Every structure is written in structure tokens, then in C-alpha cells.
Amino acid sequence: MLNGVSVFLIGMMGVGKTTIGQLLAKQLDYEFLDVDQFIEQATGQTVATIFAESGEGIFRQLETATLSQVSARLRRVVATGGGIVMAPQNWSYLRDGVIVWLDVPVEQLQKRLSDDTTRPLLQNQDLTARLTQLSADRRSRYAQADIHIQVMPNETPEQVTARVIDAIAQECEKKRQIDASLQRLNQEMPFQTNS
């Protein structure tokens, strides 16, 4: 269905990109990669430590460097960090694959993240206000994804994964039809040069 093209999962922190990414990779028989985990393994530091000691700018550079390396590889499901969409350069790498936006309402994210102390962008802040701000800042970027999956409050990760696979199949079929139409047009009216 995908012919080896990789899948990039984008969305806010706490939407389930890692969980759904692992399930999706298994279903597609793809390799799974979490950008944050990759950075932590490569640097020997947690994301929180990188933010605290080097700053968000350095972390974003590491994120872009990681994405540039993994985007060229085929047959991968990649869970990205929530802010990866904010750097225009990252879109050139994301466009190498199918981009899936996992969208969860802020109220639901607040419940999921209320006890999470590992997220640097949420430390020492009003959680709901911060999530609302981050969501508002990023929403238009997330909306550039090829596929938008609105995650329902009671959906299991397996149900979301099944919906992602269905959406990818539909997107691939649309692309196949467009390619077939273009091929037909080229056969009916071949490009001619005036000599």
C-alpha cells in the first residue's frame, strides 16, 4: 500500500504518538523510531536535561538533525516531538513520507499529562493554559498533514491505529487514481515541442 514510504506522526505531547506508532509499525511491518528517544540515546541525556542545560534551541537543532537522518530511510514509522512542526526546515524532511496528525482535545491532554513531570515545556506552568497556548501556536502547522485523525476520548490505541491504517489506505488510493489520470492524460495528449 505504501511501497515502503515512511509514516511520520505529528501532534501535541500526550496524544499517543509513541504508543500508536509502535502499533502501526507492527501492523505495517515497519521499523519504529521515536525522535525524542533517539536523541536521548545519542546524547546520553534526557530531553528535560537537554532543555535545562543547553536550552530549547539546542534541542530543536538536535531534533532537525535527527529528522534529516531518518527521513531518507524507508519503511519506518516515526513518532516526532510535538514542536517539530514549528521549524520550516523540518517540513522538507516530513514531506518525504506520509504525515499523520493525531489530534486530541486540550481537556483530554490535560488529564493525560497532569501527573507527567518529564515534559520541559510544561514545568512550573498552569497546565491547561500552557497546553491551550501550545495547541493554538501549532494547530495551523499540524493542519498541513496529509491525514488528520481526531482521537475520540474513549478510543483505544488499537482502534486509533486501525483508523490510521484505513486513512493511509484511502490516501494511497487517491494518489494512485491521480497518478493514473495523469498517465492517461499524457498518453492522450503527449507533450510536444515546437522545432
Side-chain angles (χ1 to χ4, degrees):
M1 155 173 94
L2 282 164
N3 293 326
V5 172
S6 289
V7 177
F8 294 97
L9 301 179
I10 65 171
M12 288 284 288
M13 62 186 93
V15 299
K17 296 183 296 281
T18 300
T19 303
I20 290 162
Q22 289 169 334
L23 291 168
L24 191 57
K26 197 173 191 177
Q27 293 269 333
L28 296 173
D29 196 25
Y30 271 25
E31 186 182 337
F32 173 73
L33 185 130
D34 181 297
V35 171
D36 286 354
Q37 289 173 2
F38 185 88
I39 290 170
E40 288 182 343
Q41 288 171 350
T43 63
Q45 294 181 305
T46 65
V47 171
T49 303
I50 296 168
F51 264 78
E53 294 180 3
S54 305
E56 185 178 358
I58 295 296
F59 175 75
R60 298 297 176 201
Q61 288 175 21
L62 290 168
E63 203 173 45
T64 297
T66 301
L67 191 59
S68 74
Q69 289 176 15
V70 301
S71 67
R73 304 265 174 92
L74 295 176
R75 303 186 62 80
R76 281 203 172 152
V77 174
V78 180
T80 66
I84 209 160
V85 296
M86 298 307 287
Q89 181 182 359
N90 290 342
W91 283 94
S92 64
Y93 303 125
L94 293 169
R95 294 267 175 239
D96 286 340
V98 175
I99 308 166
V100 179
W101 172 23
L102 299 176
D103 188 7
V104 172
V106 168
E107 306 74 48
Q108 202 175 332
L109 290 177
Q110 196 267 333
K111 287 177 190 163
R112 291 182 183 187
L113 296 170
S114 61
D115 295 328
D116 190 334
T117 58
T118 64
R119 315 251 181 192
L121 291 178
L122 301 181
Q123 300 312 305
N124 307 316
Q125 308 225 8
D126 175 278
L127 183 59
T128 305
R130 184 65 173 142
L131 287 171
T132 302
Q133 179 202 349
L134 287 170
S135 179
D137 292 347
R138 297 171 177 177
R139 201 156 183 81
S140 65
R141 304 286 176 97
Y142 291 146
Q144 296 174 40
D146 301 307
I147 295 168
H148 179 194
I149 301 290
Q150 180 72 52
V151 179
M152 299 301 142
N154 298 324
E155 255 183 317
T156 66
E158 290 77 12
Q159 289 170 322
V160 176
T161 303
R163 287 180 52 217
V164 170
I165 288 173
D166 288 346
I168 289 172
Q170 289 173 16
E171 204 58 33
C172 289
E173 179 57 24
K174 270 195 250 174
K175 186 181 178 332
R176 192 196 61 71
Q177 288 176 1
I178 290 169
D179 289 348
S181 295
L182 288 172
Q183 197 171 19
R184 241 187 345 271
L185 270 173
N186 284 335
Q187 288 169 347
E188 291 167 7
M189 300 183 335
F191 182 73
Q192 296 175 357
T193 58
N194 296 333
S195 22

